Amino acid sequence: MTDTRETQTRARTVFLLAHTGRPAAIRSAELVVQGLLRSGIGVRVLEAEAADLPLPPEVGTVKEATPQCLDGCELLVVLGGDGTLLRGAEFARASGVPMLGVNLGRVGFLAEAERDDLDKVVDRVVTKAYEVEERMTIDVVVHSNGDVVHRDWALNEAAVQKMSAERMLEVVLEIDGRPVTGFGCDGIVCATPTGSTAYAFSAGGPVVWPEVEALLMVPISAHALFAKPLVTSPDSVLAVEVQQHTPHGVLWCDGRRTVELPPGARVEVRRGGVPVRLARLHHASFTDRLVAKFALPVSGWRGAPH
């Protein structure tokens, strides 16, 4: 393997992130790398992943997974399922490099292409035939005893959940500094429009088109008459207060990063200061994507009258 500096001397460089635990990802990574190198585009990967991939010696490697490892890269190509794509989103947000996702999992709303589209992906990267859009994120702050004890962010959602299976989490919800309601529940999901098709969707929340700027608050198995999903302004501040008499809770951000919430903890969620940039290959509407991803029945549709 060559040092990163050799790869950086090329005119163009793409960073590749793959779920190397999947045979399909290994084969897909090999095809993408070969296609890019044939076109004179340098490729860089993490050293830990390079050991599992059949890569030619001209592929550059970096040891540490830091935002700086994408320095000089024009694009981050991610091969994998939703978990790998969310891992890629962490790199994309921290570095500002656009992420192009190839879905090797099940639903893959963050992905722009499927496994069968690898040739098209390579061609679009080589010809720069893609557009970049920004997806809204959320910033998350955890308070305990008046002190800030944790800061985080999410592309999809921040979920406050019970830690103990046998006892509910007692919470009070707040929007823009005013209390809304309180109840016992399994948890609360605070989501972005991007995350509306992820955990929030599973909890019964609405599907929100990505271009809509809004924040969502979706209860999980709440014991209350008023426990409906709420959709607020993107400038609102959402808060979930864990009651003093309730068991410990836990905060999950994008299902990847977690912190324990003691009784009395307060979780505040607001629009993130740094978006995630996604590379787009298609101009297909979100409606078509929704129908395709969930295999929705649309037979019998005749279209709008002319």
Side-chain angles (χ1 to χ4, degrees):
M1 294 295 174
T2 59
D3 187 84
T4 302
R5 288 170 295 182
E6 180 178 335
T7 307
Q8 289 178 327
T9 60
R10 294 176 180 262
R12 300 174 62 192
T13 304
V14 168
F15 199 100
L16 181 69
L17 192 67
H19 186 337
T20 56
R22 295 185 176 188
I26 295 175
R27 177 56 181 160
S28 298
E30 185 179 13
L31 293 174
V32 170
V33 169
Q34 289 174 351
L36 293 174
L37 292 178
R38 279 197 303 267
S39 299
I41 296 178
V43 179
R44 191 182 307 167
V45 300
L46 292 174
E47 191 174 87
E49 294 182 358
D52 299 322
L53 298 173
L55 300 175
E58 60 265 38
V59 172
T61 62
V62 290
K63 289 185 177 182
E64 295 185 16
T66 66
Q68 290 71 36
C69 70
L70 273 78
D71 285 353
C73 294
E74 67 179 63
L75 201 62
L76 168 64
V77 176
V78 182
L79 309 174
D82 289 335
T84 308
L85 292 168
L86 286 170
R87 179 181 169 220
E90 295 176 357
F91 283 92
R93 175 181 177 271
S95 65
V97 175
M99 179 180 80
L100 174 58
V102 178
N103 180 38
L104 302 182
R106 289 180 293 177
V107 180
F109 263 96
L110 284 176
E112 184 63 11
E114 302 296 324
R115 186 182 311 169
D116 296 337
D117 299 329
L118 290 177
D119 288 341
K120 181 188 297 183
V121 168
V122 172
D123 180 67
R124 294 293 188 89
V125 172
V126 170
T127 60
K128 293 189 176 181
Y130 59 85
E131 297 178 354
V132 177
E133 69 177 39
E134 293 188 346
R135 288 293 182 91
M136 177 178 148
T137 60
I138 50 176
D139 288 334
V140 186
V141 180
V142 180
H143 301 261
S144 182
N145 295 321
D147 297 323
V148 174
V149 296
H150 184 73
R151 295 182 184 273
D152 218 312
W153 73 280
L155 173 60
N156 277 347
E157 76 281 311
V160 176
Q161 297 177 274
K162 65 180 185 180
M163 181 175 288
S164 174
E166 65 273 9
R167 294 190 62 184
M168 292 186 299
L169 190 69
E170 297 285 342
V171 298
V172 175
L173 309 186
E174 173 193 299
I175 296 177
D176 294 332
R178 303 302 303 162
V180 177
T181 186
F183 43 62
C185 61
D186 285 355
I188 300 290
V189 179
C190 298
T192 65
T194 298
S196 71
T197 51
Y199 195 177
F201 177 82
S202 299
V207 174
V208 180
W209 267 234
E211 60 267 26
V212 175
E213 294 193 339
L215 295 174
L216 288 73
M217 184 176 271
V218 183
I220 307 171
S221 302
H223 289 242
L225 291 176
F226 184 85
K228 299 298 183 182
L230 305 176
V231 181
T232 75
S233 159
D235 298 320
S236 290
V237 178
L238 313 183
V240 180
E241 292 189 346
V242 179
Q243 296 285 55
Q244 290 284 357
H245 59 272
T246 199
H248 282 59
V250 61
L251 169 70
W252 283 93
C253 290
D254 281 342
R256 292 185 47 80
R257 303 175 302 279
T258 184
V259 64
E260 186 174 329
L261 300 174
R266 173 184 172 88
V267 179
E268 293 182 351
V269 175
R270 53 175 48 84
R271 181 178 190 156
V274 181
V276 170
R277 304 176 70 213
L278 298 181
R280 288 301 186 201
L281 306 180
H282 309 285
H283 292 286
S285 70
F286 180 74
T287 305
D288 293 337
R289 182 184 292 262
L290 189 72
V291 170
K293 293 293 184 180
F294 287 136
L296 300 179
V298 294
S299 59
W301 178 73
R302 293 175 294 178
H306 297 289

